[in-house]
Amino acid sequence: KQEVTQIPAALSVPEGENLVLNCSFTDSAIYNLQWFRQDPGKGLTSLLLIQSSQREQTSGRLNASLDKSSGRSTLYIAASQPGDSATYLCAVWGYGQNFVFGPGTRLSVLP
Amino acid sequence: NAGVTQTPKFQVLKTGQSMTLQCAQDMNHNSMYWYRQDPGMGLRLIYYSASEGTTDKGEVPNGYNVSRLNKREFSLRLESAAPSQTSVYFCASSPGANVLTFGAGSRLTVL
């Protein structure tokens, strides 16, 4: 059974810092991995989708990498802003499965 | 485009009452999902529908039923609500093993 973990569970940084969020999964047989953002009391918004054949995806200040063999993905946020404060979740889609979600990392960017 | 629309946004039930959560998507997606999100438990799949006319159990289906009314609509029914079903429920849709698009969520409290 696929298990997804995220480290750290919470992170607080001053504005302007570059930061890395980590996602680990136990079964490397995946179709893709997706990063989401969730604001308090809101739904999930898709940030980046990385197919299993890709190594990374970029969108603006966000860069996500995927290393299937080691079961890891990282989300890099450059020049963080207070508006980046949210919970970030990763989810993997494995063979014969639906998306399995990690518990999320709660990010606070302090002005 | 509205994307994924869920109703109601909030609901309070007494133990034993029944209710239906409605979900509709306007993106012509084949697959639709119902998740629940609980503190410390992350997102867990209740039921999904890979295509119109099919439904399958997810990780936590007990106490729930679903109906894929047509390609657009996927409803979740609680026949006899229990306090353990207090949660935030999210509907999502996908064209396949691809990007998940979520609704805004429905917050349910069972007293």
Side-chain angles (χ1 to χ4, degrees), chain A residues 82-96:
Chain A
D84 295 330
S85 297
T87 297
Y88 292 82
L89 299 96
C90 67
V92 296
W93 186 297
Y95 298 153

Side-chain angles (χ1 to χ4, degrees), chain A residues 31-101:
Chain A
Y31 285 120
N32 58 52
L33 182 145
Q34 192 167 357
W35 281 94
F36 294 88
R37 167 187 173 134
Q38 185 176 27
D39 293 291
K42 305 289 186 182
L44 283 73
T45 300
S46 179
L47 297 173
L48 290 164
L49 174 75
I50 311 176
Q51 302 291 351
S52 62
S53 57
Q54 297 174 319
R55 299 281 297 185
E56 63 179 85
Q57 279 284 346
T58 298
S59 176
R61 294 183 293 109
L62 305 180
N63 176 276
S65 67
L66 174 64
D67 184 344
K68 264 198 342 177
S69 60
S70 67
R72 291 183 179 182
S73 177
T74 60
L75 180 66
Y76 175 83
I77 302 177
S80 59
Q81 303 170 358
D84 295 330
S85 297
T87 297
Y88 292 82
L89 299 96
C90 67
V92 296
W93 186 297
Y95 298 153
Q97 302 175 6
N98 288 292
F99 274 107
V100 177
F101 283 81

Side-chain angles (χ1 to χ4, degrees), chain A residues 7-31:
Chain A
I7 294 173
L11 181 63
S12 185
V13 300
E15 181 177 5
E17 273 204 5
N18 302 324
L19 57 98
V20 174
L21 308 181
N22 297 291
C23 172
S24 297
F25 47 96
T26 55
D27 187 348
S28 62
I30 64 170
Y31 285 120

